[in-house]
């Protein structure tokens, strides 16, 4: 599962800040710089970010920030979508069928939840679906993190999927937990407020700070975790 670690995000924003005052950063630009930082890290220390072979989601799927324009308003009828119930099965990135091993439905954004599941293989994947596709989704697992608008994170199948390299030792045989935060579409990500600048590094490291600023808002979303059901061949 290729994601941007907190170290990657800090590197990007340190570089951006060092260049002096300029226009606000777009997520696409942050993504480009993040990729460059990761390439440099591979060259200097020979490290490959976990799960690079199975990348599907993360900051690369995100939209640009506001750059002086008005932030999106509350969800409108045109932006609300149906079909957020996780399907019973999905076809993964290898063309194999995975079954639903865990699903949850939530009705509020502006807070974090922890989703715990028992993987049965190293190829576990997940999909998050939102009634408002413009809400922001932050997913954290270990030192990995992904931040993007919900509707731009996934296709018809999985948002992201692990493999034996990205899952790492200890993946099987114990329960795993994803930390998931959803924020409303007009959350001040990438903007300064009276409570400080909520750049991506801050949001990833201290999502509770942003949650206190935006508050709770009604908006449905679901998560489905997929794997080979126990005993399935």
């Amino acid at each position: 599962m290729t994601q941007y670690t907190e170290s990657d995000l800090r590197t990007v924003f340190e570089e951006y800040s060092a260049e002096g005052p300029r226009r606000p950063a777009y997520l696409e630009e942050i993504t480009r710089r993040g990729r460059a930082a990761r390439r440099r890290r591979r060259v200097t220390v020979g490290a490959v970010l976990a799960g690079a072979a199975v990348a599907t989601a993360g900051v690369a799927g995100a939209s640009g920030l506001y750059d002086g324009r008005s932030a999106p308003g509350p969800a409108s009828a045109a932006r609300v979508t149906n079909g957020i119930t996780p399907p019973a099965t999905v076809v993964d990135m290898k063309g194999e069928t995975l079954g639903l091993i865990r699903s949850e439905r939530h009705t509020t954004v502006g807070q974090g939840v922890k989703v715990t599941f028992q993987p049965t293989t190293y190829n576990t994947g997940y999909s998050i679906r939102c009634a408002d596709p413009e809400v922001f989704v932050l997913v954290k697992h270990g030192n990995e993190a992904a931040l993007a608008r919900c509707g731009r994170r996934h296709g018809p199948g999985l948002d992201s999927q692990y493999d034996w390299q990205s899952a790492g030792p200890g993946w099987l045989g114990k329960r795993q937990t994803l930390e998931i935060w959803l924020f409303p579409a007009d959350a001040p990500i990438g903007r300064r407020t009276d409570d400080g600048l909520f750049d991506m590094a801050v949001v990833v490291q201290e999502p509770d700070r942003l949650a206190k600023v935006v508050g709770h808002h009604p908006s449905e979303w679901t998560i489905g975790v997929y794997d080979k059901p126990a005993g399935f061949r």
Side-chain angles (χ1 to χ4, degrees):
M1 182 179 69
T2 296
Q3 313 288 6
Y4 285 79
T5 66
E6 295 181 15
S7 176
D8 293 321
L9 295 170
R10 282 196 297 271
T11 298
V12 173
F13 278 98
E14 284 170 3
E15 290 180 355
Y16 198 87
S17 299
E19 296 175 5
R22 54 181 297 182
R23 62 171 176 77
Y26 280 97
L27 285 184
E28 287 89 346
E29 181 171 355
I30 292 168
T31 297
R32 175 177 58 79
R33 289 169 175 243
R35 286 173 177 164
R38 292 170 67 192
R39 284 196 295 270
R40 290 196 298 273
R41 185 173 295 111
R42 290 191 185 104
V43 171
T44 56
V45 301
V48 177
L49 202 61
V54 292
T56 58
V59 180
S63 66
L65 295 183
Y66 306 129
D67 193 18
R69 291 171 288 134
S70 298
S76 66
R79 280 170 36 199
V80 174
T81 61
N82 295 319
I84 67 170
T85 300
T89 62
V90 296
V91 176
D92 72 2
M93 299 166 197
K94 299 178 181 179
E96 298 182 355
T97 299
L98 300 182
L100 190 64
I101 63 169
R102 175 72 179 176
S103 67
E104 294 186 10
R105 179 181 291 266
H106 297 270
T107 59
T108 304
V109 298
Q111 63 182 4
V113 300
K114 292 185 177 181
V115 177
T116 301
F117 57 93
Q118 178 68 60
T120 60
T121 72
Y122 286 106
N123 298 318
T124 316
Y126 65 85
S127 176
I128 297 173
R129 302 179 177 213
C130 311
D132 180 357
E134 293 299 306
V135 300
F136 288 98
V137 178
L138 170 65
V139 180
K140 302 179 68 173
H141 180 258
N143 68 344
E144 294 184 349
L147 174 65
R149 290 192 187 272
C150 186
R152 307 179 193 186
R153 306 179 66 254
H154 59 75
L158 299 172
D159 293 354
S160 190
Q161 184 175 14
Y162 291 85
D163 64 8
W164 67 271
Q165 290 178 309
S166 58
W171 179 254
L172 299 179
K174 69 176 184 180
R175 297 179 71 79
Q176 302 291 336
T177 299
L178 296 175
E179 181 182 347
I180 302 172
W181 295 78
L182 270 79
F183 302 106
D186 59 355
I189 296 176
R191 291 185 287 152
R192 186 176 297 278
T193 72
D194 292 340
D195 297 280
L197 174 64
F198 287 100
D199 60 27
M200 289 176 61
V202 170
V203 176
V204 168
Q205 295 170 34
E206 303 177 86
D208 55 313
R209 278 186 55 194
L210 180 58
K212 290 177 182 177
V213 170
V214 301
H216 296 176
H217 299 270
S219 188
E220 281 195 294
W221 62 276
T222 61
I223 178 171
V225 181
Y226 295 87
D227 211 330
K228 292 286 188 182
F232 184 81
R233 293 290 184 267

